[in-house]
Amino acid sequence: MSMFSQESIVSSIRDGKTSYLLEYIEENLKKHSLTHSRDDPDDPQCDFLESLQYVLEIFITSTSIYLEGKAENGEDIAGNLLKSCLKFMKISCVHGKALQGMIVKQTRALEAMKSILQSHLKTQESATIKKWTWHLLANVLVDNVETLKIMWPPFGNFLLKEVLEDHENSGTTAAVIYYSLRLALLNNVQEIPTVEMFRHIIGALERNVESSGSNRMDFIHLSFEFLLTESDKFGEIFSQLCGHDRIWMIYYITDHVKDSQEGDIRKDVLLYLPREFNKKSECILNSKSPKYHEDDPKEVMALLRCFVAVTGSEKYAKIYSQEGSFFINVCALLVAVQTLSSQGDAPFAPLGKLEDFSSTSEAAQEAEKEIFFELKTLLVRLIANLSHKNRKNQDLAREIKALITICGCTTMDARNPMMKEWAIVALKNLLEGNAENQNVIHSLVNQGPAANEVLAELMMENGSVRINRN
């Protein structure tokens, strides 16, 4: 059909005689909208394939003229043609993989799409054209791993850059990234950089949080949800992220666990995290050791908060019930930290003076900024959750002296708010139905009241007021 040659299209646009082109697109759009989806390119009834090749030629040519803007009235005429072509191409993708493939296999069509997305035109029409082009890019990827393999090399770096930007089409950009990530992980497409993709997804989430929210983050969340609830590649991706990005991933898991309306996180995801904790928890005691990265203590603290959320939820409460090495490590860490605390070690020394509990206390305000703020509270709380109706963990706590250590945590400490209350809960759970643990507590000898700076400041002893002679 000579009327659809590049020369004839250029001539029609520059002469302002494009009605026959628009009519061809619209007529075929109406005709094909009544057909059913067909994936077979050899299907004789699938004449969408024939019309699409001509629409692609119109699209490519009109894109060039529109972006150059050289012809009189060329931009408006070419713009109308572009919108008709984009509408046709978007709908054609719904009719099967053959049509998606035809679009991405046309190298000049991909170049035209990229030129539109990278253009800096500021008119209302150009905004619509750019938006529809983003939609088209998303449509060609839906459930089609072959189009992903073709599309990613020319578009990959551009997409990774764009998903970090906040613009009016950032939601669709995130959709393209989501479809790409999902296809690559489900089909194990090695040439697609899924780890790098997820680094940028985390970056987009961080940008969104720092900018106080956005209504274009649905597909960023869907990317996280897919990795946590459907994919079996969590460990593979998590292990290759940097400390900063792992911490953001842990934050996301924690928030997901707290929201009972969210889908179930895969068990293998939650069981992966204690192994990371066991490997790195020692960094709390040796944070300056060269074997640990500066983000490791922050990551361990983020993991502790995540574990507290997991073990405290009805949905996931039993996940770690049989993880003996995890429970032992948590108890051992509490014993070590409590020992250092009693020795006045700087990061863990208790803030027990009356002034430390004032809302204006500078010491308490500074403590809240410390990496290890709430450390003992979190450990005690986690032990309380893990020992609830769990005889194995009750016995382990007694054998490694954590039971006695928790007795020493029933004091007030502004560096560990609510530690005393959680220590009481932990003791209740450790003693319930366990005669051996109860005997340990019964055998403790009362050697008099323990030193208590708050009571001393209130001139109280054993809970009774006394008169200080001075």
Side-chain angles (χ1 to χ4, degrees):
M1 296 176 65
S2 59
M3 68 175 180
F4 292 118
S5 67
Q6 183 177 359
E7 293 78 10
S8 64
I9 297 170
V10 170
S11 176
S12 297
I13 293 174
R14 288 180 174 166
D15 293 341
K17 299 177 180 179
T18 57
S19 57
Y20 76 99
L21 295 173
L22 291 169
E23 287 172 4
Y24 175 82
I25 297 171
E26 289 300 323
E27 286 174 4
N28 277 278
L29 191 59
K30 291 177 183 177
K31 178 175 69 175
H32 297 313
S33 66
L34 301 176
T35 64
H36 297 292
S37 173
R38 300 184 180 91
D39 293 343
D40 186 1
D42 298 319
D43 187 338
Q45 297 183 52
C46 190
D47 45 1
F48 221 142
L49 288 166
E50 180 182 358
S51 51
L52 178 59
Q53 63 181 314
Y54 298 122
V55 172
L56 281 171
E57 190 62 47
I58 298 171
F59 169 72
I60 293 164
T61 305
S62 56
T63 296
S64 176
I65 294 176
Y66 180 77
L67 294 179
E68 288 175 3
K70 292 181 178 178
E72 184 178 354
N73 297 321
E75 283 190 52
D76 292 337
I77 295 171
N80 288 332
L81 266 180
L82 265 182
K83 286 187 287 187
S84 290
C85 290
L86 286 167
K87 184 178 180 181
F88 186 96
M89 293 158 69
K90 286 195 298 176
I91 293 175
S92 70
C93 290
V94 179
H95 286 256
K97 294 182 178 180
L99 294 155
Q100 292 172 310
M102 179 178 285
I103 294 172
V104 298
K105 288 174 184 176
Q106 173 59 269
T107 303
R108 292 188 302 135
L110 285 182
E111 290 173 351
M113 291 164 64
K114 193 172 183 180
S115 296
I116 291 171
L117 297 179
Q118 292 179 321
S119 68
H120 298 290
L121 298 177
K122 300 296 184 181
T123 65
Q124 185 174 353
E125 180 181 60
S126 66
T128 300
I129 290 171
K130 184 174 286 191
K131 179 174 70 174
W132 287 7
T133 304
W134 275 115
H135 291 169
L136 174 60
L137 191 59
N139 286 5
V140 298
L141 287 174
V142 176
D143 295 329
N144 195 331
V145 69
E146 296 306 317
T147 56
L148 169 65
K149 292 176 182 178
I150 297 170
M151 181 280 296
W152 188 263
F155 275 90
N157 290 335
F158 169 72
L159 290 171
L160 292 176
K161 175 179 175 293
E162 285 296 298
V163 80
L164 292 176
E165 303 295 329
D166 188 11
H167 52 80
E168 60 184 5
N169 293 302
S170 56
T172 313
T173 310
V176 175
I177 292 290
Y178 165 71
Y179 293 137
S180 301
L181 178 75
R182 185 183 179 92
L183 285 169
L185 291 179
L186 285 176
N187 296 278
N188 199 29
V189 184
Q190 298 299 319
E191 57 264 40
I192 305 299
T194 51
V195 175
E196 189 65 22
M197 201 179 293
F198 221 92
R199 289 191 183 108
H200 284 72
I201 289 170
I202 292 171
L205 177 68
E206 185 176 2
R207 180 209 72 212
N208 177 63
V209 171
E210 291 176 348
S211 62
S212 301
S214 167
N215 60 358
R216 298 189 289 267
M217 294 296 291
D218 289 351
F219 283 95
I220 294 297
H221 291 296
L222 283 175
S223 299
F224 278 94
E225 300 302 300
F226 173 71
L227 187 65
L228 298 179
T229 64
E230 296 184 54
S231 174
D232 61 356
K233 304 292 185 182
F234 174 81
E236 181 181 318
I237 289 183
F238 187 87
S239 64
Q240 297 180 68
L241 296 175
C242 67
H244 173 272
D245 290 346
R246 285 198 301 269
I247 291 169
W248 273 92
M249 177 74 81
I250 296 165
Y251 288 162
Y252 196 95
I253 294 173
T254 305
D255 287 341
H256 185 112
V257 168
K258 290 178 179 178
D259 189 343
S260 60
Q261 302 302 312
E262 296 287 1
D264 292 0
I265 297 178
R266 286 172 58 104
K267 186 176 180 180
D268 59 287
V269 171
L270 296 176
L271 290 178
Y272 182 90
L273 299 178
R275 295 195 288 272
E276 291 296 299
F277 177 80
N278 290 344
K279 286 191 297 185
K280 293 182 178 177
S281 58
E282 189 185 352
C283 73
I284 287 180
L285 308 176
N286 303 282
S287 58
K288 294 183 180 179
S289 170
K291 80 181 257 193
Y292 295 113
H293 189 274
E294 63 179 349
D295 281 330
D296 286 348
K298 297 176 185 177
E299 184 178 339
V300 170
M301 291 297 292
L303 283 169
L304 278 174
R305 291 186 171 90
C306 182
F307 296 145
V308 166
V310 171
T311 56
S313 78
E314 293 184 10
K315 186 186 292 187
Y316 304 107
K318 302 295 184 182
I319 290 287
Y320 301 137
S321 61
Q322 301 303 314
E323 296 295 303
S325 62
F326 174 50
F327 184 77
I328 290 172
N329 200 33
V330 172
C331 289
L333 185 57
L334 176 64
V335 172
V337 170
Q338 179 69 348
T339 300
L340 292 172
S341 175
S342 63
Q343 295 171 356
D345 191 278
F348 313 116
L351 292 175
K353 295 182 179 180
L354 184 61
E355 63 185 42
D356 295 330
F357 296 94
S358 167
S359 59
T360 59
S361 168
E362 291 185 13
Q365 290 173 6
E366 288 301 314
E368 289 186 31
K369 302 173 186 177
E370 296 171 356
I371 293 176
F372 301 130
F373 179 71
E374 281 191 316
L375 171 59
K376 285 198 291 182
T377 300
L378 293 170
L379 290 170
V380 171
R381 188 173 176 181
L382 185 53
I383 292 171
N385 290 347
L386 291 171
S387 59
H388 179 62
K389 296 184 179 180
N390 189 317
R391 180 59 186 246
K392 176 184 174 183
N393 286 347
Q394 289 176 336
D395 291 340
L396 285 172
R398 181 183 69 252
E399 292 164 8
I400 58 180
K401 311 300 181 186
L403 178 59
I404 300 299
T405 300
I406 287 176
C407 290
C409 293
T410 54
T411 58
M412 298 174 67
D413 180 0
R415 187 170 264 120
N416 288 282
M418 299 296 292
M419 180 178 68
K420 175 182 176 181
E421 290 76 8
W422 276 107
I424 293 171
V425 174
L427 286 171
K428 174 185 177 296
N429 290 346
L430 288 166
L431 299 180
E432 185 177 14
N434 193 309
E436 291 86 347
N437 284 0
Q438 292 170 16
N439 289 335
V440 170
I441 301 300
H442 288 157
S443 67
L444 295 178
V445 177
N446 184 1
Q447 296 181 339
N452 188 304
E453 293 184 74
V454 174
L455 292 181
E457 287 186 71
L458 290 172
M459 294 186 293
M460 297 181 70
E461 190 174 273
N462 259 349
S464 301
V465 178
R466 65 180 173 81
I467 303 299
N468 188 315
R469 69 180 63 185
N470 296 319

